[in-house]
Structures are given as C-alpha cells and as structure tokens.
Amino acid sequence: MNELLWYVSRATGVVSIVLLTVVVVLGLVTAGRRRPTGDSATVVMALHRWLSLGASVFLLAHIATAVAETYVSIDLVSAVLPFTSGYEALWVGLGTLAFDVLLAVVVTSLLRHRLAERTWRRVHLLSHALWPMAIVHGLALGTSGELLLRGTTIACAVVGVGAIAWRYTSTHHDERRRVAVAAQEWS
C-alpha cells in the first residue's frame, strides 16, 4: 500500500505541475494587452478557472499522499508550515510555500466579488512566484532516474519561461509602438 501511495504522490505531483503551468500560461495570455476578445476570451477564462480547480485537486491529492506514505517523513504540519519538514526541509518547504500562496490565490479568487480589484490583483500576482517555486520543488525532489517525470517538469519550465518571455516582450513591444505613434502625432 505504501508503494502505491508513493507512486500516486509522484504522479499527482507531475499532473499538478503540468496543470499549474497551463493555468499560468492561460493567465499570462488573458492578462496581456493582446488578450483574446469576445467568445474566445470567455473560453480561455473558463479554461483558466477549470484547470485551476483541477490543479488544486491534484495538488491536494499530491500533498495527502505525500503525508500518508511512510517512505519519507513529511507530516501534516510540514505540508502547511514551510521549511519544517525533517525530510529535505528546503525543497519540501518550497513546495509548502507554493501551496500556501496557491491557497491565498484560490481564497481571494473565490472572494473576488467581495474584495477590491486591487487587493485581488496583488494577491493573484503571487502566482508568478508560486509557479517557479513549484518547478524547483519538482526538480529537486523529482526522481532523477525517471526521465519521463523529470522531462515533464523541465518541459513545464521551458513552456512557462517561454510564455513569460512572450508576455514581457509583447507588452514592451506594444508600449514602444504606442510611444512611437504618440511621437508621430506630436510632430
């Protein structure tokens, strides 16, 4: 039974990082100046929300199985309080910190209609920190002998960094274009 929990923990961790990466990419797409409009925007936002829910469910399964299995010692406190694990405190702690940030993002998203837009946005921006923490957590604690698992986490890192680069360059390209148009209008 313990071996099954170990495999389920690893599998749900990999699925969590894949879903989290897709959610981050969709978030970057919907928040940029070149975001989709009309029906496609509705579809992308719905996908972003549903995959966020899916990532949260898989992450909870990942945490529950990591705590339940006894191959390594990670207790319930270490799953919520960062850097308290007796096993690989730094790497487990990064995962715990990412989970805590995810909790804050989920809770404020559920309460979004009761919060100021600025408050929600600031908390939601923390997802830009939680994703790299989750990637490092996965790379540090992932099974190096399992090329598929390690490769999946590396692929998520490449895709996420590519999306961040796209968002950064497209936003700054739009800014430069607006400045150039404004300068021409003043000439």
Side-chain angles (χ1 to χ4, degrees):
M1 180 64 162
N2 193 52
E3 188 174 337
L4 176 63
L5 289 174
W6 173 249
Y7 285 114
V8 172
S9 180
R10 291 167 59 199
T12 54
V14 171
V15 171
S16 295
I17 198 62
V18 169
L19 289 174
L20 184 59
T21 300
V22 173
V23 166
V24 167
V25 169
L26 290 172
L28 289 167
V29 168
T30 60
R33 297 196 189 284
R34 295 184 181 181
R35 65 178 160 247
T37 58
D39 289 342
S40 61
T42 303
V43 170
V44 172
M45 282 307 301
L47 193 57
H48 176 75
R49 288 181 182 134
W50 279 103
L51 290 177
S52 296
L53 176 63
S56 299
V57 169
F58 274 95
L59 183 59
L60 287 173
H62 172 64
I63 294 166
T65 54
V67 169
E69 65 87 15
T70 58
Y71 182 72
V72 296
S73 180
I74 300 172
D75 60 8
L76 191 54
V77 171
S78 299
V80 179
L81 201 60
F83 310 109
T84 59
S85 174
Y87 172 76
E88 299 287 354
L90 176 62
W91 307 126
V92 172
L94 274 178
T96 301
L97 191 56
F99 172 67
D100 292 347
V101 170
L102 179 70
L103 275 179
V105 171
V106 168
V107 167
T108 56
S109 291
L110 291 173
L111 298 173
R112 184 176 183 180
H113 63 284
R114 295 182 178 204
L115 297 173
E117 177 73 17
R118 184 181 209 177
T119 301
W120 173 83
R121 185 168 308 285
R122 285 182 177 168
V123 173
H124 210 78
L125 282 173
L126 290 174
S127 62
H128 292 254
L130 91 85
W131 177 79
M133 287 187 285
I135 290 286
V136 171
H137 166 81
L139 289 173
L141 292 178
T143 307
S144 60
E146 295 290 335
L147 184 59
L148 180 62
L149 300 180
R150 176 76 55 174
T152 300
T153 305
I154 291 169
C156 286
V158 169
V159 167
V161 167
I164 292 166
W166 169 81
R167 168 76 192 280
Y168 178 77
T169 57
S170 69
T171 300
H172 288 287
H173 174 73
D174 289 347
E175 291 294 326
R176 285 191 303 265
R177 188 172 33 175
R178 268 196 299 282
V179 168
V181 168
Q184 286 178 345
E185 289 174 356
W186 283 95
S187 313

